[in-house]
Amino acid sequence: MKQYIDSAVEQFRTLLEEQIARQQRMEKESGATDFNSLDKIVIGICGGDGIGPIISKESERLLRFILKDEVANGRVELRNIEGLTIENRIEKNKAIPDDVLAEIKACNVILKGPTTTLKGGTLESANVAMRRELDLYANVRPVQVPDENIDWIFFRENTEGEYVLGSRGVEIPDTLAFDFKVTTNAGTERIARKAFEYARANGKTNVAIVTKANIMKKTDGKFSEIAHKVALEYPEIEVEEWYIDIMTANLVNEQIRSKFQVVLLPNLYGDIITDEAAQIQGGVGTAGSANMGDKYAMFEAIHGSAPRMIEQGIGDYANPTSIFKAVEMMLRHIGMSDKAEKLAKALSICTETEKKVIVTGDKDGATCAEFGDYVMKTLEKLV
């Protein structure tokens, strides 16, 4: 037993030193990319696994339609990046193989299809690895249900918490296992500031900080303390704090949920509660997701790779709405808000107003490509 304890102590020392070094790197970071100053914006498209290549193909077709002029004059370049598949990651025994990561880093923004994460083992999630490697510290997910006066946007810390060391826990065979949760000052301050800056810039008056600081006193306690300290710089914004369990209930409480506007959360809680919020909107297939850092950004559907659909031969019937909304978010991020607004309007018509082409995820509904055609035809009609 002593040898296992000694080994675990040394492993923890290594992890501690790595995380202190990461905190120090964050303190030295420079400002965000100004996309208006770039001669060319390179958009990488990663298909991923399962239904990923199918919905990614439609998102590329949509992008080429919306950015036809920009692609033609060289202002925008679309690059297909192969190799972010579960088969290649298993073969290379890397969450993101080195050559694939190099291609990703040669782009300014990434549009990514869902990737499969293995249960157990040591192969890390490709999403977690990408967020760390590109320092995509802000996961931003909007949810809107106009008929119910719901207009939420979630700012989830994306590089810390339970996920940053999720594959590097300690296990004493046949006895116990430890996983680790990490909260740094610099990591918390930057996500809090991003949430409050968004609130101020968009006329939002309420920010809800969500933790479990009454139980996780060190990590969530630090997140809460720093978030409230940042909040002092935004006196015009009402700040509330909720524990994650009651906040999860609040989202389905019709008497209170419409008051929420901007929600700020650590990593794991944000992962869970944004899926709940998307379900209220109409399902995880209806919500897009942005993963943003200061230099890079990655946009994706929030749902998984749906291997069941591929196994059943119905992958072509996958719903591309989530990744189309990710395209909308990406257009805003790269400074093309007019095109993003037009796409948002088209998606609203296609999914809420007209609903002439309905994707059900099965053969009784439209195919992914048919829905893509519908969105592009709708875009053509908009002034």
Side-chain angles (χ1 to χ4, degrees), residues 31-32 45 75-76 101 111 134 152 180 188 201 217 224 232 253 258 263 285 312 349:
I45 302 173
R75 174 80 175 110
V76 171
L101 183 60
L111 186 66
L134 304 185
W152 302 326
F180 300 105
T188 303
K217 296 182 185 293
S224 173
L232 294 175
N253 183 341
S258 62
V263 184
Q312 295 179 359
I349 291 169

Side-chain angles (χ1 to χ4, degrees), residues 294-367:
D294 291 332
K295 183 176 181 181
Y296 300 102
M298 182 265 283
F299 300 82
E300 61 180 342
I302 75 168
H303 55 74
S305 58
R308 174 191 60 82
M309 294 186 71
I310 300 300
E311 292 166 4
Q312 295 179 359
I314 55 174
D316 288 339
Y317 294 86
N319 191 339
T321 302
S322 182
I323 202 165
F324 283 4
K325 289 194 174 183
V327 168
E328 176 202 330
M329 297 175 77
M330 185 187 71
L331 291 170
R332 294 186 195 280
H333 184 73
I334 63 177
M336 299 184 181
S337 296
D338 54 339
K339 295 180 184 295
E341 289 292 341
K342 193 172 179 181
L343 177 56
K345 187 174 181 180
L347 288 172
S348 177
I349 291 169
C350 294
T351 62
E352 299 170 19
T353 310
E354 287 185 354
K355 297 193 282 189
K356 291 181 179 179
V357 177
I358 299 176
V359 181
T360 66
D362 211 334
K363 292 182 180 179
D364 61 348
T367 66

Side-chain angles (χ1 to χ4, degrees), residues 212-249:
K212 192 64 175 171
N214 58 331
I215 303 298
M216 308 298 292
K217 296 182 185 293
K218 296 297 184 185
T219 50
D220 284 15
K222 179 179 286 293
F223 190 96
S224 173
E225 177 187 352
I226 293 173
H228 280 285
K229 184 176 179 181
V230 171
L232 294 175
E233 301 174 30
Y234 304 83
E236 76 278 16
I237 297 172
E238 176 190 16
V239 179
E240 300 178 307
E241 180 156 5
W242 297 90
Y243 295 139
I244 180 60
D245 41 4
I246 191 61
M247 189 63 177
T248 304

Side-chain angles (χ1 to χ4, degrees), residues 48-49 77 157 209 222 279:
D49 300 309
E77 179 186 346
E157 201 294 315
I209 301 166
K222 179 179 286 293
Q279 194 65 33

Side-chain angles (χ1 to χ4, degrees), residues 7-44:
S7 175
V9 169
E10 284 306 308
Q11 181 178 343
F12 182 66
R13 177 187 294 277
T14 299
L15 297 177
L16 190 59
E17 290 172 348
E18 288 178 3
Q19 294 307 304
I20 291 171
R22 187 173 67 85
Q23 154 82 13
Q24 293 170 343
R25 286 196 302 272
M26 283 189 282
E27 292 173 344
K28 299 176 182 178
E29 287 169 355
S30 56
T33 298
D34 178 6
F35 285 92
N36 291 323
S37 68
L38 298 179
D39 294 330
K40 179 167 67 175
I41 299 170
V42 181
I43 301 172

